[in-house]
Amino acid sequence: MELKKLSEHIWYMPYESERDRPNLGYVKGKNWSLAIDAGHSAAHTKEFYALLEKENLPLPYLTVFTHWHWDHTFGMHAANGLSIANEKTNSHLAEWKNKIEKNGPAEFFALHESIRKEYSENKEVVVKLADIVYSGEMSLDLGDCTVKVIQSEAPHTDDSTLVYIENDKTLFLGDAACKDFTIGKKDPALCKKLADSIRNLNPQTCVEGHWVPVETDDTLNDLLGGL
């Protein structure tokens, strides 16, 4: 696995299907750096950091969660610095933290084979809540690089956060454009709301959680196709 450079300020660790690992984003400004999603487990996070160190990039000062799902967040206890999530994301994390600490990880392991592969050899499951909780929208200045963190309605979950790197006209969506996690379908109204959010930002490039970076029209066509 290699770290890929996407633009002047952006790198990412590519997704992997077998263990359902998403793309992990990294944004470097003149003053500090930020990660987009924390990874599926401590092992995933540590592999990401090893790639950053190989490129002489500083570890992220902040990590922003795109949504609560384990493959994007359960590595946070092994991450550097502070984490940011919207209120709904933090609520979902609190629910799973309580379940696992009270009853053990059996229910979590039963969700999908990819989870059992990620946590093979008795790896510990640890859920960490966000350090910083926001609602609506926030803007971060990394030093000549502005990042907008935006809560958005979307078909995949009820807690999606979009991360837009203004200088590079690049939008990280996590899994926001995917089907509903529980029923396997896309709600047309939520797809249209997410499409409006994307158009309002007007990015050139979109990075979804489990796909290669593409032009924005490709993401919109996939999001709205068949509705």
Side-chain angles (χ1 to χ4, degrees), residues 96-221:
W96 273 97
K97 185 176 190 292
N98 182 60
K99 282 183 182 180
I100 290 170
E101 291 179 355
K102 184 177 180 181
N103 303 316
E107 182 181 353
F108 173 56
F109 291 151
L111 290 173
H112 202 271
E113 175 65 22
S114 61
I115 296 172
R116 296 189 287 277
K117 288 181 178 179
E118 181 67 41
Y119 285 89
S120 62
E121 301 176 354
N122 296 315
K123 292 186 180 73
E124 186 179 14
V125 181
V126 180
V127 183
K128 183 179 183 294
L129 302 185
D131 300 295
I132 301 166
V133 179
Y134 84 97
S135 179
E137 181 176 334
M138 64 189 303
S139 185
L140 303 168
D141 182 358
L142 308 187
D144 293 337
C145 179
T146 300
V147 177
K148 285 187 174 180
V149 180
I150 305 159
Q151 197 168 355
S152 177
E153 292 186 89
H156 187 58
T157 63
D158 66 353
D159 69 313
S160 292
T161 284
L162 307 179
V163 184
Y164 183 52
I165 298 85
E166 282 191 340
N167 302 66
D168 302 65
K169 294 189 71 66
T170 298
L171 178 64
F172 281 78
L173 294 98
D175 301 342
C178 296
K179 296 175 181 177
D180 183 284
F181 161 67
T182 54
I183 63 174
K185 296 180 180 179
K186 291 182 180 180
D187 182 304
L190 291 174
C191 288
K192 290 173 183 176
K193 286 181 178 179
L194 177 59
D196 287 342
S197 295
I198 294 171
R199 292 190 186 104
N200 285 339
L201 291 168
N202 194 30
Q204 291 180 350
T205 303
C206 287
V207 185
E208 295 189 47
H210 300 268
W211 194 237
V212 296
V214 296
E215 293 182 355
T216 299
D217 283 347
D218 289 350
T219 293
L220 290 172
N221 290 338

